[in-house]
Amino acid sequence: MTVSPMLTRLAAEKATGALLRDHGTLYLVDGRVVHAESPSAPGLDVLLTTGGRLPRERWDEAVDRAGAHRAVGRFLVDSGRLHDGELEICHLGAVFDAAFFALAPTSRPSRFRYGVGHWFGAVRPVDAEAVERETVRRRELLDSVWPYPAVDTAPVVPRPAAPGQPVGARQRALLAAADGARTPAEIARALGRPAFHTLLDVRRLAAAGLVETPSEPPPPDPPAVPAWVGEVATDPDIALLRRLRDALEAAL
């Protein structure tokens, strides 16, 4: 399944630059995805600092010293802040997380800016096909858990557990952060967790009755009959055709 025809074309062209979509941006080098960003997903800085792996001042230092050279990731490793494998795993998770939202269906056209790079720098390029395949898998997983996408963007409103109903530690932390006003994306940032994993937990909680599922919006009202319809009904040509039809029927 092709999620983004433009991404598929850019991959075939081995293009380098930034693919700008309605819900995020994918950065490509030689047709492969090297970074992704989305307003709906916490950035790598949040995942590392809020998640407790890296002090915020160390992250800021890396950006200040290596951002202009597009080598923040390399600086974090060379300075001993992160191990190579650790950075690769964290960055890969952030790429797939942001790409899931960036590749969400949209009616607006995508744009591509050739030659644009990201200040973080490349860590481990990923084939565009793999990114699209993982995006589709995640969509299907969410719907298989609880096919009500309204919970993905609505404030998370906890509901009391039934007597004896088990709630895991990870889910308890999410419910504790749910104040009835925060959306899943806001909870993900507060906890320093990937946004998709937070969505998945919210859908599981909704399926278990531990989070409210908002009502689906009613379908829009049918469009009003345009004024010109009445004008056509009284058009002289229409009236003539009706008289001819009546005359033919009378002759049969």
Side-chain angles (χ1 to χ4, degrees), residues 198-251:
T198 304
L199 289 187
L200 189 58
D201 282 337
V202 169
R203 289 218 193 185
R204 285 170 173 160
L205 288 167
L210 295 171
V211 160
E212 288 188 6
T213 297
S215 302
E216 295 290 339
D221 293 332
V225 177
W228 58 263
V229 172
E231 297 173 2
V232 170
T234 58
D235 186 279
D237 291 338
I238 298 296
L240 175 61
L241 289 173
R242 286 176 175 167
R243 289 198 299 272
L244 289 173
R245 181 199 61 190
D246 294 341
L248 286 172
E249 289 179 349

Side-chain angles (χ1 to χ4, degrees), residues 142-223:
L142 286 176
D143 287 340
S144 70
V145 169
W146 192 240
Y148 296 92
V151 302
D152 296 347
T153 53
V156 181
V157 181
R159 299 178 63 185
Q165 185 175 13
V167 183
R170 179 182 177 88
Q171 293 180 328
R172 285 198 301 271
L174 191 156
L175 290 171
D179 58 3
R182 284 174 170 161
T183 63
E186 292 167 336
I187 291 175
R189 287 190 179 87
L191 298 178
R193 295 180 180 177
F196 171 77
H197 295 159
T198 304
L199 289 187
L200 189 58
D201 282 337
V202 169
R203 289 218 193 185
R204 285 170 173 160
L205 288 167
L210 295 171
V211 160
E212 288 188 6
T213 297
S215 302
E216 295 290 339
D221 293 332

Side-chain angles (χ1 to χ4, degrees), residues 38-64:
S38 171
S40 301
L44 191 58
D45 60 330
V46 175
L47 298 177
L48 289 172
T49 60
T50 306
R53 177 58 189 86
L54 194 69
R56 184 74 206 193
E57 58 270 20
R58 298 302 185 192
W59 172 269
D60 293 339
E61 176 193 13
V63 174
D64 290 341

Side-chain angles (χ1 to χ4, degrees), residues 125-144:
V126 184
D127 288 341
E129 182 182 357
V131 173
E132 289 198 324
R133 185 168 59 247
E134 177 62 13
T135 296
V136 172
R137 186 192 72 84
R138 292 185 178 204
R139 289 179 187 173
E140 293 174 346
L141 178 58
L142 286 176
D143 287 340
S144 70

